[in-house]
PDB file of all heavy atoms in Angstrom:
ATOM      1  N   GLY A 250     128.193 100.688  69.961  1.00 98.00           N
ATOM      2  CA  GLY A 250     128.296 100.415  71.399  1.00 98.00           C
ATOM      3  C   GLY A 250     129.515  99.670  71.797  1.00 98.00           C
ATOM      4  O   GLY A 250     130.648 100.124  71.177  1.00 98.00           O
ATOM      5  N   VAL A 251     129.383  98.584  72.520  1.00 98.00           N
ATOM      6  CA  VAL A 251     130.552  97.780  72.808  1.00 98.00           C
ATOM      7  C   VAL A 251     130.214  96.337  72.519  1.00 98.00           C
ATOM      8  O   VAL A 251     129.159  95.781  72.853  1.00 98.00           O
ATOM      9  CB  VAL A 251     131.070  97.922  74.271  1.00 98.00           C
ATOM     10  CG1 VAL A 251     132.188  96.996  74.617  1.00 98.00           C
ATOM     11  CG2 VAL A 251     131.447  99.376  74.651  1.00 98.00           C
ATOM     12  N   ALA A 252     131.134  95.548  71.904  1.00 98.00           N
ATOM     13  CA  ALA A 252     130.929  94.272  71.521  1.00 98.00           C
ATOM     14  C   ALA A 252     131.982  93.312  72.207  1.00 98.00           C
ATOM     15  O   ALA A 252     133.192  93.654  72.215  1.00 98.00           O
ATOM     16  CB  ALA A 252     130.947  94.017  70.060  1.00 98.00           C
ATOM     17  N   GLY A 253     131.645  92.178  72.673  1.00 97.00           N
ATOM     18  CA  GLY A 253     132.590  91.198  73.162  1.00 97.00           C
ATOM     19  C   GLY A 253     132.539  90.037  72.258  1.00 97.00           C
ATOM     20  O   GLY A 253     131.457  89.416  71.928  1.00 97.00           O
ATOM     21  N   THR A 254     133.789  89.538  72.013  1.00 96.00           N
ATOM     22  CA  THR A 254     133.890  88.455  71.052  1.00 96.00           C
ATOM     23  C   THR A 254     134.637  87.249  71.735  1.00 96.00           C
ATOM     24  O   THR A 254     135.678  87.521  72.237  1.00 96.00           O
ATOM     25  CB  THR A 254     134.540  88.772  69.752  1.00 96.00           C
ATOM     26  OG1 THR A 254     133.922  89.842  69.237  1.00 96.00           O
ATOM     27  CG2 THR A 254     134.596  87.559  68.746  1.00 96.00           C
ATOM     28  N   ARG A 255     133.977  86.123  71.916  1.00 92.00           N
ATOM     29  CA  ARG A 255     134.546  84.948  72.490  1.00 92.00           C
ATOM     30  C   ARG A 255     134.798  83.891  71.396  1.00 92.00           C
ATOM     31  O   ARG A 255     133.966  83.619  70.568  1.00 92.00           O
ATOM     32  CB  ARG A 255     133.623  84.397  73.519  1.00 92.00           C
ATOM     33  CG  ARG A 255     134.147  83.279  74.420  1.00 92.00           C
ATOM     34  CD  ARG A 255     133.309  83.102  75.672  1.00 92.00           C
ATOM     35  NE  ARG A 255     131.956  82.867  75.249  1.00 92.00           N
ATOM     36  CZ  ARG A 255     131.434  81.697  75.053  1.00 92.00           C
ATOM     37  NH1 ARG A 255     132.257  80.644  74.928  1.00 92.00           N
ATOM     38  NH2 ARG A 255     130.236  81.517  74.703  1.00 92.00           N
ATOM     39  N   ARG A 256     136.062  83.376  71.401  1.00 90.00           N
ATOM     40  CA  ARG A 256     136.471  82.246  70.392  1.00 90.00           C
ATOM     41  C   ARG A 256     136.820  81.154  71.239  1.00 90.00           C
ATOM     42  O   ARG A 256     137.563  81.172  72.111  1.00 90.00           O
ATOM     43  CB  ARG A 256     137.505  82.794  69.579  1.00 90.00           C
ATOM     44  CG  ARG A 256     137.320  83.960  68.565  1.00 90.00           C
ATOM     45  CD  ARG A 256     138.553  84.335  67.848  1.00 90.00           C
ATOM     46  NE  ARG A 256     138.118  85.560  67.019  1.00 90.00           N
ATOM     47  CZ  ARG A 256     138.020  86.750  67.568  1.00 90.00           C
ATOM     48  NH1 ARG A 256     138.213  86.955  68.750  1.00 90.00           N
ATOM     49  NH2 ARG A 256     137.610  87.848  66.684  1.00 90.00           N
ATOM     50  N   TYR A 257     136.255  80.027  70.817  1.00 86.00           N
ATOM     51  CA  TYR A 257     136.489  78.861  71.656  1.00 86.00           C
ATOM     52  C   TYR A 257     136.405  77.535  70.701  1.00 86.00           C
ATOM     53  O   TYR A 257     135.438  77.425  69.937  1.00 86.00           O
ATOM     54  CB  TYR A 257     135.380  78.767  72.838  1.00 86.00           C
ATOM     55  CG  TYR A 257     135.668  77.608  73.719  1.00 86.00           C
ATOM     56  CD1 TYR A 257     136.756  77.746  74.650  1.00 86.00           C
ATOM     57  CD2 TYR A 257     134.835  76.487  73.820  1.00 86.00           C
ATOM     58  CE1 TYR A 257     137.031  76.679  75.506  1.00 86.00           C
ATOM     59  CE2 TYR A 257     135.121  75.476  74.716  1.00 86.00           C
ATOM     60  CZ  TYR A 257     136.193  75.628  75.556  1.00 86.00           C
ATOM     61  OH  TYR A 257     136.457  74.563  76.460  1.00 86.00           O
ATOM     62  N   THR A 258     137.339  76.666  70.783  1.00 87.00           N
ATOM     63  CA  THR A 258     137.292  75.485  70.112  1.00 87.00           C
ATOM     64  C   THR A 258     136.436  74.411  70.815  1.00 87.00           C
ATOM     65  O   THR A 258     136.766  74.032  71.953  1.00 87.00           O
ATOM     66  CB  THR A 258     138.722  74.896  69.926  1.00 87.00           C
ATOM     67  OG1 THR A 258     139.502  75.928  69.265  1.00 87.00           O
ATOM     68  CG2 THR A 258     138.740  73.679  69.045  1.00 87.00           C
ATOM     69  N   ILE A 259     135.368  74.025  70.126  1.00 87.00           N
ATOM     70  CA  ILE A 259     134.496  73.107  70.824  1.00 87.00           C
ATOM     71  C   ILE A 259     134.997  71.696  70.666  1.00 87.00           C
ATOM     72  O   ILE A 259     135.879  71.394  69.875  1.00 87.00           O
ATOM     73  CB  ILE A 259     133.027  73.224  70.265  1.00 87.00           C
ATOM     74  CG1 ILE A 259     132.966  72.909  68.866  1.00 87.00           C
ATOM     75  CG2 ILE A 259     132.537  74.613  70.588  1.00 87.00           C
ATOM     76  CD1 ILE A 259     131.481  72.823  68.231  1.00 87.00           C
ATOM     77  N   PRO A 260     134.467  70.668  71.375  1.00 86.00           N
ATOM     78  CA  PRO A 260     135.052  69.385  71.343  1.00 86.00           C
ATOM     79  C   PRO A 260     135.148  68.781  69.987  1.00 86.00           C
ATOM     80  O   PRO A 260     136.145  67.985  69.780  1.00 86.00           O
ATOM     81  CB  PRO A 260     134.001  68.569  72.251  1.00 86.00           C
ATOM     82  CG  PRO A 260     133.448  69.579  73.244  1.00 86.00           C
ATOM     83  CD  PRO A 260     133.382  70.880  72.498  1.00 86.00           C
ATOM     84  N   ASP A 261     134.289  69.109  69.089  1.00 88.00           N
ATOM     85  CA  ASP A 261     134.456  68.434  67.765  1.00 88.00           C
ATOM     86  C   ASP A 261     135.556  69.112  66.925  1.00 88.00           C
ATOM     87  O   ASP A 261     135.714  68.835  65.738  1.00 88.00           O
ATOM     88  CB  ASP A 261     133.128  68.356  67.002  1.00 88.00           C
ATOM     89  CG  ASP A 261     132.567  69.742  66.632  1.00 88.00           C
ATOM     90  OD1 ASP A 261     133.341  70.749  66.730  1.00 88.00           O
ATOM     91  OD2 ASP A 261     131.391  69.740  66.165  1.00 88.00           O
TER      92      ASP A 261
END
Side-chain angles (χ1 to χ4, degrees):
Chain A
V251 177
T254 305
R255 189 163 53 82
R256 290 175 186 79
Y257 188 69
T258 304
I259 64 172
D261 69 8

